[in-house]
Amino acid sequence: MRISELAAESGVPVATIKFYLRSGLLPEGRQTAPRQAEYGADHLSRLRLIRALLGPGGLSIAAAGEVLKQLDQPPGSTHGLLGAAHHALDTGVRARAGQSMTEHPRADAMLASLGWNIDPADHLSRYRLEEALAGLEAAGFVPPPGFPEMYASAMRELAVRELEQVPLGSSSEAMRYVVLGTILTEPLLLALRRLAQQDVSAKNFADTAPPPSPAGETVPKHS
Amino acid sequence: MRISELAAESGVPVATIKFYLRSGLLPEGRQTAPRQAEYGADHLSRLRLIRALLGPGGLSIAAAGEVLKQLDQPPGSTHGLLGAAHHALDTGVRARAGQSMTEHPRADAMLASLGWNIDPADHLSRYRLEEALAGLEAAGFVPPPGFPEMYASAMRELAVRELEQVPLGSSSEAMRYVVLGTILTEPLLLALRRLAQQDVSAKNFADTAPPPSPAGETVPKHS
């Protein structure tokens, strides 16, 4: 199909598609005439993936480019997939961390007490944890005792079930699963967490706020 | 203390403090001379909070401003706190969503099947869930059956324990707890999730080829 048909099919404007072509996110089409190229089903699915990474995935153009590069060149081992996937997703953290990334005392202490097996060369994941723990501390927010451990055990239970599902047949399929599973389920988890808090809050504090109407058309009840 | 002492105490450069003053994130000090102001312990703790929101919290200046405004003017009811807190945190989602925010068919279906009690006027939280579910779909990533429900139930279990801890004595204290608890534990949860995946992956896939090190330095030690 031509670029105009690709635009119609995908719902992405021609100008945006041209921008993705220029940025290297979307591979060039097959040249059929001096100023005309032909695009296929691969382009369509790649375009949907780009939209998902930049939209709900919340990635920058640069980070999306790294993720796509990883998807195109899968690493050798199944466990290596995960490191490569996480690495590609962490462009922003790396930029913020700079030199200090190898210092992560709070994270080291917590991981040691959890007994988790983390690649010693992977400072990035530790730095993310360090940054989160230091942020709580800096804001003067002391989580109740046992809370970080409660989060850790909830996340580990999810990880066990998530990794049971990785398709091991093809490494490019596995890479795709791990990258998308990580990046696209993060917004899902966070959205569900806030909704779950609302549900629990509505039940716990029903006496302090009028109950929400089941009809779905009434005035806001937060007051 | 003077602004230079505030800078020394907090580790935030004077120029940055002046920028926070101009943006309204940090209240002005008490004027003691034509070009001199006095700052107190309140300024110091506010400064730490601003750094946590902009750093690990990942908020823009505008979003941090909204969060701080909410913290300064707590709403009336305990359940209302949560809505106000979530609202303040969602500046970016609101900007992205525009007109389409009241359409959230996937989220409605999922929430109905979960039986959660969500304020019908709160389109924003539903829109976040819709965006996450639509993103998975658009990327051609079909989570295994039961996965969204598994995430939902894990998040609800956490919410029950989190909300048990909200300090109900003062509403400004409760607001602070909910806002910081939401925004600063999100990076903690996501960091722990990736580390948990690594730990599980190291145990499950120890028999496959040695993983490439993302940092490209050390020999990985998964075995």
Side-chain angles (χ1 to χ4, degrees), chain A residues 48 77 79 86 90 117 122 125 138-139 151 156 162 176 185-186 193-194 197-199 201 213 222-223, chain B residues 48 79 86 90 117 120 122 125 138-139 151 156 162 176 185-186 193-194 197-199 201 209 222:
Chain A
R48 293 204 167 116
S77 80
H79 178 52
H86 288 173
D90 277 331
N117 186 356
D122 180 6
S125 302
Y151 292 131
R156 198 175 184 291
E162 286 169 323
R176 187 182 158 84
T185 59
E186 287 185 352
R193 176 166 178 246
R194 293 201 191 172
Q197 289 175 339
Q198 284 196 33
D199 177 49
S201 167
S213 138
H222 293 301
S223 59
Chain B
R48 293 201 168 119
H79 179 50
H86 288 173
D90 276 331
N117 187 355
D122 180 6
S125 302
Y151 292 132
R156 199 176 183 291
E162 286 169 325
R176 187 182 158 85
T185 59
E186 287 185 352
R193 177 165 177 246
R194 294 200 190 171
Q197 289 175 340
Q198 284 197 31
D199 177 50
S201 168
H222 297 297

Side-chain angles (χ1 to χ4, degrees), chain A residues 18-86:
Chain A
K18 286 185 175 165
F19 172 72
Y20 295 155
L21 288 166
R22 282 198 307 276
S23 338
L25 296 182
L26 188 68
E28 299 288 338
R30 190 172 49 85
Q31 207 75 18
T32 51
R35 290 174 51 81
Q36 197 169 300
E38 183 69 14
Y39 299 88
D42 281 1
H43 288 92
L44 188 58
S45 72
R46 176 72 156 227
L47 204 44
R48 293 204 167 116
L49 179 56
I50 294 169
R51 299 295 274 183
L53 294 176
L54 298 178
L59 295 193
S60 65
I61 298 281
E66 278 229 39
V67 168
L68 292 168
K69 208 171 71 187
Q70 291 290 349
L71 286 178
D72 293 339
Q73 299 170 342
S77 80
T78 307
H79 178 52
L81 280 175
L82 201 76
H86 288 173

Side-chain angles (χ1 to χ4, degrees), chain A residues 113-162:
Chain A
S113 86
L114 291 167
W116 286 1
N117 186 356
I118 306 298
D119 184 342
D122 180 6
H123 292 293
L124 197 58
S125 302
R126 282 189 185 76
Y127 183 80
R128 276 171 59 98
L129 177 58
E130 180 72 17
E131 199 184 39
L133 293 170
L136 288 168
E137 208 175 289
F141 182 84
V142 184
F147 263 57
E149 294 71 21
M150 174 183 85
Y151 292 131
S153 98
M155 291 302 105
R156 198 175 184 291
E157 278 171 44
L158 290 180
V160 168
R161 298 197 42 192
E162 286 169 323

Side-chain angles (χ1 to χ4, degrees), chain B residues 197-210:
Chain B
Q197 289 175 340
Q198 284 197 31
D199 177 50
V200 174
S201 168
K203 289 183 173 86
N204 286 8
F205 305 125
D207 49 344
T208 62

Side-chain angles (χ1 to χ4, degrees), chain A residues 49 51-59 89 128 155 158 162 178-196, chain B residues 90 93 96 107 110-111 116 124-137 139 141 143 147-148 151-152 155 182 186-187 189-191 193-194 197:
Chain A
L49 179 56
R51 299 295 274 183
L53 294 176
L54 298 178
L59 295 193
L89 298 176
R128 276 171 59 98
M155 291 302 105
L158 290 180
E162 286 169 323
V178 170
V179 169
L180 296 183
T182 300
I183 198 162
L184 294 175
T185 59
E186 287 185 352
L188 178 64
L189 265 182
L190 297 183
L192 286 169
R193 176 166 178 246
R194 293 201 191 172
L195 288 160
Chain B
D90 276 331
V93 179
R96 204 156 67 225
M110 182 167 178
L111 291 170
W116 284 2
L124 197 58
S125 302
R126 283 190 184 76
Y127 182 80
R128 275 171 60 99
L129 177 58
E130 180 73 17
E131 199 184 39
L133 293 170
L136 288 168
E137 209 176 287
F141 182 82
F147 263 58
Y151 292 132
M155 291 302 106
T182 301
E186 287 185 352
L189 265 181
L190 297 183
R193 177 165 177 246
R194 294 200 190 171
Q197 289 175 340

